[in-house]
């Protein structure tokens, strides 16, 4: 499936709606709810079996996804602000809560994500931060070096605020 060109238009969804998806260990979509399909403009059949990155917006820092995958692969949950891409190229912001799913023996067998509408006050902090991280990542010809530079920027921003990642994200969420 070809990724659409971003339009710059933002899609909205209601505060009482929750976008839900589940993936296998490789990040392939195994379940989506109706809200996922409505907001992303997809039919369920189009996304099942596809990599979840199908909704990844190109203006999302790779460093944020690196942190997200590192945490959930370690069996931890994470909250993150994510800019997603709809099928038509529009974007929508979410506050994602991603958790590992476990089988009956307690082994991680996939991932579950609930996404809510983020507060505008939080996005006023996140958008310029993500833009500067993307700019830094793009300055490097080597993608891995760019991502490492982005991770260093996140760590520096957190250190300057005297916060760890979770306190930073949840503190912004509390401003809503």
């Amino acid at each position: 499936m070809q990724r659409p060109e971003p339009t710059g238009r933002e899609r909205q969804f209601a505060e009482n709606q929750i976008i839900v998806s589940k993936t296998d260990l490789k990040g392939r979509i195994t379940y989506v709810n109706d809200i996922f399909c409505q907001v992303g403009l997809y039919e369920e059949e189009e996304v099942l079996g596809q990599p979840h990155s199908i909704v990844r917006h190109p203006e999302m820092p790779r460093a944020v996804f690196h942190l997200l995958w590192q945490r959930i692969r370690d069996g931890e949950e994470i909250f993150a602000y994510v800019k997603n891409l709809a099928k038509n190229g529009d974007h929508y912001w979410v506050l994602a809560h991603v958790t590992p799913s476990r089988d009956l023996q307690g082994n991680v067998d996939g991932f579950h994500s609930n996404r809510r509408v983020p507060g505008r006050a939080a996005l006023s902090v996140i958008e310029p931060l993500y833009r500067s991280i993307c700019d830094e990542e793009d300055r490097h010809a080597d993608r891995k070096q760019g991502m490492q530079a982005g991770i260093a920027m996140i760590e520096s921003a957190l250190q300057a605020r005297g916060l760890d990642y979770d306190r930073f994200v949840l503190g912004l969420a509390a401003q809503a």
Side-chain angles (χ1 to χ4, degrees), residues 13-88:
F13 60 105
E15 287 188 27
N16 66 344
Q17 293 180 312
I18 300 173
I19 297 172
V20 180
S21 60
K22 295 180 183 180
T23 68
D24 63 17
L25 289 172
K26 295 185 187 267
R28 289 182 302 249
I29 298 171
T30 59
Y31 169 83
V32 294
N33 71 345
D34 291 342
I35 305 302
F36 179 105
C37 294
Q38 287 173 8
V39 176
L41 302 173
Y42 284 102
E43 297 294 326
E44 181 181 29
E45 306 79 48
E46 291 178 280
V47 295
L48 292 179
Q50 295 294 320
H52 205 286
S53 60
I54 192 170
V55 296
R56 181 176 177 197
H57 195 284
E59 294 173 3
M60 267 303 295
R62 292 186 306 275
V64 172
F65 283 113
H66 176 80
L67 174 64
L68 185 146
W69 277 103
Q70 183 178 32
R71 292 276 296 268
I72 60 175
R73 283 190 177 131
D74 287 347
E76 299 174 34
E77 68 181 345
I78 189 168
F79 287 86
Y81 291 93
V82 178
K83 186 176 188 178
N84 285 328
L85 189 65
K87 182 179 176 180
N88 71 344

Side-chain angles (χ1 to χ4, degrees), residues 32 37 57 61 74 80 90 93 98 103 120 124 126-128 130 133 142 161 170-171 173:
V32 294
C37 294
H57 195 284
D74 287 347
D90 292 352
W93 281 96
V98 186
D103 63 18
R120 286 290 152 187
S124 71
I126 290 297
E127 287 183 280
Y130 281 12
I133 295 169
D142 179 272
R161 290 173 169 87
L170 295 175

Side-chain angles (χ1 to χ4, degrees), residues 91-170:
H91 68 273
Y92 55 100
W93 281 96
V94 298
L95 174 56
H97 178 212
V98 186
T99 59
S101 300
R102 299 182 185 278
D103 63 18
L104 294 175
Q105 290 73 42
N107 301 310
V108 174
D109 65 357
F111 307 103
H112 181 115
S113 180
N114 291 329
R115 294 172 301 284
R116 298 182 179 274
V117 173
R120 286 290 152 187
L123 292 181
S124 71
V125 174
I126 290 297
E127 287 183 280
L129 176 62
Y130 281 12
R131 209 169 9 260
S132 64
I133 295 169
C134 283
D135 289 346
E136 179 61 30
E137 288 178 346
D138 291 345
R139 273 193 262 286
H140 299 266
D142 179 272
R143 287 177 56 85
K144 188 172 183 174
Q145 287 177 345
M147 186 178 64
Q148 292 302 322
I151 292 167
M153 280 189 74
I154 293 170
E155 291 170 352
S156 177
L158 293 173
Q159 188 175 25
R161 290 173 169 87
L163 298 171
D164 66 15
Y165 178 82
D166 294 322
R167 282 199 194 117
F168 172 66
V169 170
L170 295 175

